[in-house]
Amino acid sequence: MRITIAITGASGAIYARQLVERLVELRVSVELIFTENGRAVAEYENQIGLFNRNDIKYLDNKNMFASPASGSGCADAMVIVPCSMGMIGRIASGCSNDLISRAADVMLKEGLPLIVVPREVPFNTIHLRNLCELGNAGATICPAAPSFYNNPSNIEELCSSVTERIIRLLGLKSNQLPWGNR
């Protein structure tokens, strides 16, 4: 399985970092794309150094010739985590101006899994409309809303409830869900 992970400028790079780590553990092939703001936020949140790995493929968000930009070369699934409302708006309106928005458009047109993980509160009416538009087009909306079932004792445990939910949404088995594998 090959999964494209995109990181945009919303806060919450920890979710992307945890997801990449878990996918590599599960022996999934990972392609990683950052927006310029996504990289800046990951640096600000002290997560960027944790993405320096040899076991994932890095793609330039400006390279519209990269494999995710084409239905004949796209991955099996794509996760945009965290996903800014600006990116959600561009995808919902069909405005592909970079590799991430084009890859998301390709996933939708090919009927392949696209999971967007917005990390924004509160939502305004425009946000909600755009999220509904993506949902109607076939995307799965998984807000970065952690659960407290496992009584997390630190940020890593708290965020892992979202990460493990994404793993399950990708159709992968997770034995690390705090509420078990029902």
Side-chain angles (χ1 to χ4, degrees):
M1 179 177 233
R2 190 173 102 228
I3 298 178
T4 301
I5 305 294
I7 301 169
T8 69
S11 179
I14 187 172
Y15 294 111
R17 194 247 318 142
Q18 283 185 347
L19 181 60
V20 167
E21 288 172 352
R22 287 287 288 127
L23 290 172
V24 169
E25 281 175 24
L26 294 168
R27 300 193 191 313
V28 172
S29 176
V30 175
E31 300 172 324
L32 187 62
I33 314 167
F34 282 93
T35 63
E36 190 174 316
N37 286 336
R39 184 174 299 282
V41 171
E43 286 176 7
Y44 185 81
E45 294 178 348
N46 297 315
Q47 299 292 314
I48 195 70
L50 303 170
F51 286 102
N52 293 331
R53 307 176 62 104
N54 294 325
D55 46 10
I56 58 179
K57 181 177 182 179
Y58 297 89
L59 301 172
D60 182 348
N61 193 36
K62 295 175 185 167
N63 182 3
M64 295 295 272
F65 292 98
S67 60
S70 170
S72 60
C74 62
D76 299 302
M78 180 177 185
V79 182
I80 308 175
V81 55
C83 191
S84 68
M85 285 301 163
M87 182 62 71
I88 286 168
R90 284 187 294 283
I91 298 165
S93 66
C95 293
S96 301
N97 66 343
D98 60 13
L99 181 58
I100 294 173
S101 55
R102 173 60 187 161
D105 186 37
V106 167
M107 299 307 285
L108 293 173
K109 80 177 187 69
E110 296 293 327
L112 294 169
L114 171 64
I115 300 169
V116 295
V117 185
R119 220 284 324 130
E120 180 79 52
V121 288
F123 294 143
N124 66 36
T125 304
I126 296 167
H127 298 155
L128 293 169
R129 245 187 255 126
N130 287 335
L131 289 168
C132 285
E133 198 68 35
L134 287 182
N136 289 336
T140 298
I141 312 302
C142 180
S147 65
F148 297 87
Y149 298 117
N150 62 335
N151 296 309
S153 60
N154 57 50
I155 297 295
E156 289 288 324
E157 288 179 8
L158 180 67
C159 292
S160 72
S161 65
V162 172
T163 304
E164 295 304 317
R165 178 66 57 122
I166 297 167
I167 295 288
R168 289 273 300 266
L169 289 170
L170 288 168
L172 300 168
K173 187 156 177 75
S174 172
N175 294 322
Q176 296 186 22
L177 287 173
W179 53 90
N181 279 326
R182 293 183 208 150

